[in-house]
């Protein structure tokens, strides 16, 4: 009931009261404290009661806002007094005005002050779940008040229930500042209800998607390759920029932003920036749209100086580094590659980062130039003289030099005499005397080593070097010292399956097989044992000395046995001769006696 109607009723009652007082008031009774209305009192009270609503406590009814201030809202529910509700209970509804119908919960008809006590918040809470379920079933649009931020979205007051608004459901475009929505009243759709956990999920995005979908269909139907459209930067990623074309999104890949190198799209565009783009391509259903920005400007290669040619020197800035080389921008959008092999005359495998870094200003020479393919290769080493020019004079055969060890292989040592001039020392040319199994036993990478030039291979840009040739060949002397059958003292330094390495005087090494390591007592020789060895073989060409410890005592025994046999043989010969002489003498005597006997017998017969 409106306030105007209530006031009229009260005026009518007052007029009737005044008339009754003037006509029937009993002053005598008044003096005796028994004043009042008589005949019309009951009728007036009944008439007044008809103007009032029957209100029961603990129920929800509708009321009318009759006045508002900054703190309170006065609501008339047709009762004999109006109720007052805190304005905070209506903060979800920023558009509340006088005359609006609102629901309230009657907490008490009269408090201690005789005031009607109402609550809008409790009324909403009692009816909230019914309304939320109805909104979901009927796909209704409802209003809610965004109370605060939370992880992943916002908390929204909907009919007194705290609903969750995901960040992805606030708008069709990504939201960067959630705080600007706090305190706002917006329209939503209920998209999900979990009755078990009393959770409600709402969406504002769903309200505008239908409208955008229609706009999107209209825009897509008009798309053509090469068409130029105006768009707004919607999102920036590391690989490109998403452009809003008015309800449909397209992607400008990072390579289509500029003719020059772009490290990140944010170097070219900003969020919410409006710009013109060209449609490069789209799929059959036009769901993926490829856009371009650089295509709206001429290609930098077309503006390249027509006089530029191979052999020219150019200045540029290093924009990209890779292990195999560096890309140098000599003009906006015009790049050349300096391969790592073109950075130095040195042939050692190195990374391009050893020579330069991104941002360096470098001077280079054009090696190749292909305007049609828009490719260019550059070189740094061409700005320096080739060290192999005149190498025969500078590094003549038998000349001595100092080199730096760069790398090892199983067969030798690679060294660098100067940048770009490399050589190989074969493992056999490291030492005259020592058996080198691996170059690491002889030297270390990075150290200086003295070398002699043995051979020059200019075509392959390689020198054959030697280290042992710095000294005379000691094997010319060893040939006389370690002659076959000569005996020397040696120390066993290493034993393996096939034999042992023996260290001999003058730093030379020999080799003995296992059977030549047996000692006189029958035991086997051990590492670091010092013994006498006999040279049983010497090879100057192969630089090999074969030794034997066993032969040192075996040959003595063999000599003793031989000498004994010789003595016994001589004695035997003497005995045989004496015997022969004795036999000869006995035979002659016997013959003489027999001859005399024979003569005597013959005389007797006569």
């Amino acid at each position: 009931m409106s306030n105007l109607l209530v006031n009229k009723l009260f005026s009518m009652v007052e007029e009737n009261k005044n008339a009754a007082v003037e006509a029937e008031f009993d002053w005598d009774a008044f003096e005796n404290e028994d004043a009042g209305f008589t005949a019309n009192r009951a009728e007036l009270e009944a008439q007044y009661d008809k103007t009032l609503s029957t209100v029961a406590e603990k129920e929800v009814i509708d009321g009318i806002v009759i006045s508002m201030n900054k703190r309170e809202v006065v609501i008339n529910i047709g009762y004999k007094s109006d109720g007052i509700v805190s304005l905070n209970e209506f903060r979800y509804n920023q558009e509340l005005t006088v005359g609006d119908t609102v629901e309230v919960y009657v907490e008490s008809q009269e408090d201690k002050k005789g005031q009607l006590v109402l609550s809008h918040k409790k009324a909403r809470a009692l009816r909230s779940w019914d309304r939320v379920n109805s909104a979901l079933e009927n796909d209704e649009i409802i209003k809610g008040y965004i109370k605060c931020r939370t992880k992943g979205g916002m908390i929204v007051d909907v009919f007194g229930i705290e609903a969750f608004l995901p960040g992805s459901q606030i708008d069709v475009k990504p939201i960067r500042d959630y705080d600007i929505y706090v305190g706002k009243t917006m329209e939503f759709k209920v998209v999900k209800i979990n009755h078990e956990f009393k959770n409600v999920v709402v969406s504002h995005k769903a309200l505008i998607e239908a409208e955008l979908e229609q706009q999107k269909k209209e825009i897509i139907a008009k798309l053509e390759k090469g068409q130029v459209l105006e768009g707004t930067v919607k999102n920036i990623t590391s690989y490109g920029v998403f452009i809003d074309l008015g309800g449909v999104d397209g992607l400008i890949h990072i390579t289509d932003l500029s003719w020059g190198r772009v490290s990140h799209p944010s170097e070219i565009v900003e969020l919410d920036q409006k710009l013109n783009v060209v449609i490069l391509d789209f799929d059959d259903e036009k769901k993926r749209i490829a856009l371009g920005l650089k295509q709206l400007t001429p290609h930098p290669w077309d503006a390249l100086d027509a006089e530029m040619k191979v052999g020219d020197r150019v200045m540029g800035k290093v924009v990209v580094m890779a292990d195999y080389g560096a890309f140098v921008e000599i003009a906006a959008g015009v790049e050349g590659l300096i391969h790592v092999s073109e950075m130095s005359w040195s042939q050692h495998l190195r990374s391009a980062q050893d020579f330069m870094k991104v941002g360096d200003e470098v001077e280079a020479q054009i090696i190749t130039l292909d305007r049609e393919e828009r490719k260019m290769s550059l070189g740094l080493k061409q700005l320096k003289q080739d060290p192999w020019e005149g190498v025969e004079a500078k590094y003549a055969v038998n000349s001595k030099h100092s080199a730096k060890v760069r790398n090892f292989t199983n067969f030798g040592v690679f060294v660098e005499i100067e940048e770009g001039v490399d050589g190989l020392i074969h493992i056999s040319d490291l030492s005259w005397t020592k058996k080198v199994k691996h170059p690491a036993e002889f030297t270390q990478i990075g150290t200086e080593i003295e070398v002699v030039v043995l051979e020059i291979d200019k075509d392959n840009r390689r020198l054959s070097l030697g280290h042992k040739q710095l000294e005379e060949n000691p094997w010319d002397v060893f040939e006389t010292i370690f002659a076959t059958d000569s005996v020397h003292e040696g120390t066993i330094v290493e034993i393996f399956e096939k034999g042992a390495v023996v260290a001999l005087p003058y730093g030379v090494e020999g080799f003995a097989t296992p059977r030549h390591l047996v000692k006189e007592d029958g035991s086997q020789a051990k590492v670091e044992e010092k013994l006498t060895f006999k040279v049983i073989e010497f090879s100057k060409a192969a630089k090999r000395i074969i030794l034997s410890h066993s032969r040192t005592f075996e040959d003595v025994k063999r000599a003793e046995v031989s000498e004994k046999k010789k003595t016994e043989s001589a004695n035997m010969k003497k005995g045989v001769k004496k015997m022969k002489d004795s036999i000869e003498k006995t035979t002659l005597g016997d013959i003489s006696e027999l001859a005399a006997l024979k003569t005597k017998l013959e005389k007797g017969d006569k």
Side-chain angles (χ1 to χ4, degrees):
M1 183 179 295
S2 69
N3 192 31
L4 182 60
L5 180 59
V6 172
N7 290 336
K8 286 183 177 181
L9 288 173
F10 273 104
S11 297
M12 292 172 60
V13 171
E14 289 298 325
E15 290 176 359
N16 291 332
K17 283 183 179 180
N18 292 335
V21 168
E22 292 178 359
E24 302 180 12
F25 192 74
D26 189 348
W27 291 100
D28 294 333
F30 178 74
E31 290 178 356
N32 296 325
E33 297 182 356
D34 189 18
F37 299 107
T38 55
N40 294 334
R41 180 182 180 116
E43 182 182 349
L44 291 172
E45 287 180 352
Q47 186 179 359
Y48 176 70
D49 289 339
K50 289 179 181 180
T51 65
L52 302 176
S53 301
T54 302
V55 176
E57 293 184 354
K58 313 302 180 186
E59 72 173 359
V60 178
I61 61 175
D62 290 335
I64 298 175
V65 178
I66 60 174
S67 67
M68 295 173 57
N69 58 33
K70 294 182 179 179
R71 295 176 56 190
E72 298 171 332
V73 178
V74 180
I75 300 175
N76 178 19
I77 61 172
Y79 193 55
K80 61 184 178 181
S81 63
D82 296 331
I84 298 175
V85 179
S86 173
L87 186 62
N88 285 335
E89 295 190 23
F90 293 94
R91 63 180 181 176
Y92 73 92
N93 186 2
Q94 301 293 327
E95 300 175 359
L96 182 69
T97 60
V98 174
D100 286 351
T101 300
V102 295
E103 57 188 2
V104 290
Y105 175 77
V106 181
E107 295 193 57
S108 174
Q109 292 181 351
E110 291 185 5
D111 60 6
K112 294 180 180 179
K113 298 179 180 180
Q115 178 67 49
L116 173 66
V117 181
L118 304 176
S119 172
H120 176 63
K121 182 178 180 180
K122 290 184 178 180
R124 295 179 72 223
L126 288 173
R127 293 183 178 178
S128 59
W129 279 104
D130 292 337
R131 290 187 175 181
V132 166
N133 281 283
S134 175
L136 179 63
E137 291 174 4
N138 301 321
D139 198 26
E140 296 178 13
I141 297 174
I142 60 175
K143 286 187 177 182
Y145 174 76
I146 299 178
K147 296 174 63 176
C148 61
R149 283 191 59 180
T150 188
K151 184 178 180 181
M154 317 287 286
I155 298 297
V156 181
D157 184 342
V158 177
F159 304 132
I161 296 175
E162 289 190 346
F164 177 60
L165 173 63
S168 61
Q169 295 299 314
I170 297 176
D171 204 339
V172 291
K173 59 184 179 180
I175 301 302
R176 294 179 289 279
D177 185 8
Y178 286 62
D179 293 331
I180 63 174
Y181 292 92
V182 176
K184 286 188 176 182
T185 298
M186 300 174 64
E187 292 183 336
F188 301 98
K189 274 191 175 183
V190 179
V191 294
K192 185 178 180 181
I193 297 177
N194 188 322
H195 294 280
E196 181 179 358
F197 297 102
K198 299 293 183 181
N199 291 336
V200 178
V201 181
V202 296
S203 171
H204 177 69
K205 176 181 176 182
L207 297 176
I208 56 179
E209 279 184 334
E211 182 181 351
L212 290 178
E213 187 64 28
Q214 183 61 34
Q215 294 178 4
K216 184 176 179 180
K217 290 180 180 178
E218 294 176 1
I219 294 172
I220 287 178
K222 299 177 182 178
L223 290 182
E224 294 180 3
K225 292 183 181 180
Q227 184 179 7
V228 177
L229 299 173
E230 184 182 54
T232 304
V233 177
K234 181 178 180 180
N235 192 22
I236 299 176
T237 68
S238 60
Y239 56 85
V241 179
F242 286 94
I243 303 295
D244 182 359
L245 300 174
V248 61
D249 293 344
L251 172 66
I252 306 177
H253 195 268
I254 188 171
T255 57
D256 290 314
L257 284 170
S258 172
W259 293 114
R261 290 275 180 174
V262 179
S263 300
H264 194 275
S266 57
E267 300 174 5
I268 306 297
V269 298
E270 298 177 353
L271 286 171
D272 299 325
Q273 179 183 352
K274 292 186 179 297
L275 44 81
N276 290 330
V277 293
V278 60
I279 298 177
L280 302 179
D281 198 5
F282 48 77
D283 59 14
D284 294 336
E285 297 179 358
K286 298 183 180 179
K287 291 182 178 180
R288 295 182 180 180
I289 304 173
L291 305 174
L293 182 63
K294 71 180 184 181
Q295 288 78 5
L296 296 176
T297 58
H299 198 289
W301 271 85
D302 297 335
L304 192 63
D305 186 359
E307 301 296 326
M308 187 176 291
K309 62 185 183 302
V310 172
D312 288 351
R313 293 190 176 191
V314 292
M315 291 294 298
K317 183 179 181 180
V318 178
V319 290
V320 175
M321 291 296 303
D323 290 338
Y324 59 84
F327 289 92
V328 178
E329 187 177 58
I330 64 171
V334 179
E335 296 176 6
L337 171 65
I338 305 178
H339 194 270
V340 67
S341 62
E342 301 297 337
M343 293 182 179
S344 170
W345 289 109
S346 175
Q347 298 184 35
H348 298 293
L349 295 177
R350 297 165 73 178
S351 174
Q353 284 82 356
D354 296 335
F355 297 94
M356 60 189 69
K357 62 182 182 298
V358 173
D360 285 353
E361 295 285 343
V362 296
E363 183 181 18
Q365 181 175 313
I366 299 176
I367 301 175
T368 64
L369 179 61
D370 189 337
R371 293 179 183 271
E372 292 183 2
E373 294 292 330
R374 293 171 176 170
K375 292 182 180 179
M376 180 188 304
S377 61
L378 307 173
L380 286 182
K381 70 182 184 181
Q382 287 77 8
L383 303 180
K384 301 177 182 178
Q385 184 180 0
D386 187 350
W388 275 86
E389 293 181 4
V391 70
E392 295 92 341
K394 192 173 183 180
Y395 301 106
V397 175
N398 295 326
S399 61
K400 299 177 181 179
H401 307 276
S402 179
K404 191 172 186 178
V405 177
R406 287 295 188 184
N407 194 20
F408 289 151
T409 66
N410 291 330
F411 55 84
V413 182
F414 285 101
V415 299
E416 185 179 57
I417 299 180
E418 67 168 275
E419 184 178 339
V421 180
D422 298 331
L424 171 68
I425 308 173
H426 195 272
I427 194 169
S428 62
D429 290 317
L430 288 172
S431 173
W432 288 111
T433 58
K434 188 176 180 181
K435 296 289 185 181
V436 182
K437 296 179 181 178
H438 192 275
E441 300 173 5
F442 189 84
T443 185
Q444 295 179 346
I445 293 176
T447 60
E448 296 287 334
I449 186 172
E450 297 298 319
V451 295
V452 174
V453 178
L454 303 179
E455 185 180 347
I456 300 174
D457 185 356
K458 193 171 182 179
D459 293 336
N460 294 316
R461 303 171 74 90
R462 186 79 71 188
L463 298 177
S464 178
L465 306 173
H467 175 72
K468 71 181 184 181
Q469 287 79 2
L470 294 169
E471 301 174 355
E472 292 184 5
N473 188 354
W475 286 88
D476 294 337
V477 179
F478 293 159
E479 189 175 17
T480 58
I481 297 175
F482 300 102
T484 303
D485 292 334
S486 61
V487 178
H488 307 273
E489 190 177 68
T491 302
I492 299 174
V493 295
E494 185 180 0
I495 294 179
F496 44 94
E497 185 179 355
K498 294 184 179 181
V501 177
V502 181
L504 297 171
Y506 308 107
V508 71
E509 293 179 347
F511 177 78
T513 59
R515 72 184 187 88
H516 287 291
L517 294 172
V518 179
K519 296 192 289 187
E520 192 170 4
D521 60 1
S523 63
Q524 198 77 12
K526 299 179 181 179
V527 175
E528 296 185 0
E529 195 168 356
K530 186 178 289 186
L531 301 168
T532 56
F533 290 89
K534 176 177 282 191
V535 179
I536 58 178
E537 182 184 340
F538 181 90
S539 175
K540 177 182 175 182
K543 298 180 180 60
R544 183 175 64 244
I545 302 176
I546 305 300
L547 305 171
S548 173
H549 170 69
S550 303
R551 290 280 295 273
T552 58
F553 57 83
E554 287 177 351
D555 288 352
V556 171
K557 290 182 179 179
R558 193 177 291 110
E560 290 177 354
V561 171
S562 178
E563 187 64 29
K564 185 177 181 181
K565 287 182 178 180
K566 287 181 181 180
T567 302
E568 290 177 352
S569 178
N571 292 335
M572 186 177 294
K573 287 180 179 179
K574 288 180 181 180
V576 171
K577 184 177 181 182
K578 187 175 181 180
M579 186 179 293
K580 285 182 178 180
D581 292 344
S582 176
I583 292 173
E584 289 178 354
K585 289 179 180 180
T586 301
T587 303
L588 292 173
D590 290 340
I591 293 172
S592 298
E593 290 178 359
L594 289 172
L597 181 58
K598 181 177 179 182
T599 303
K600 186 177 180 179
L601 289 174
E602 288 177 349
K603 288 179 177 181
D605 290 338
K606 290 179 177 183

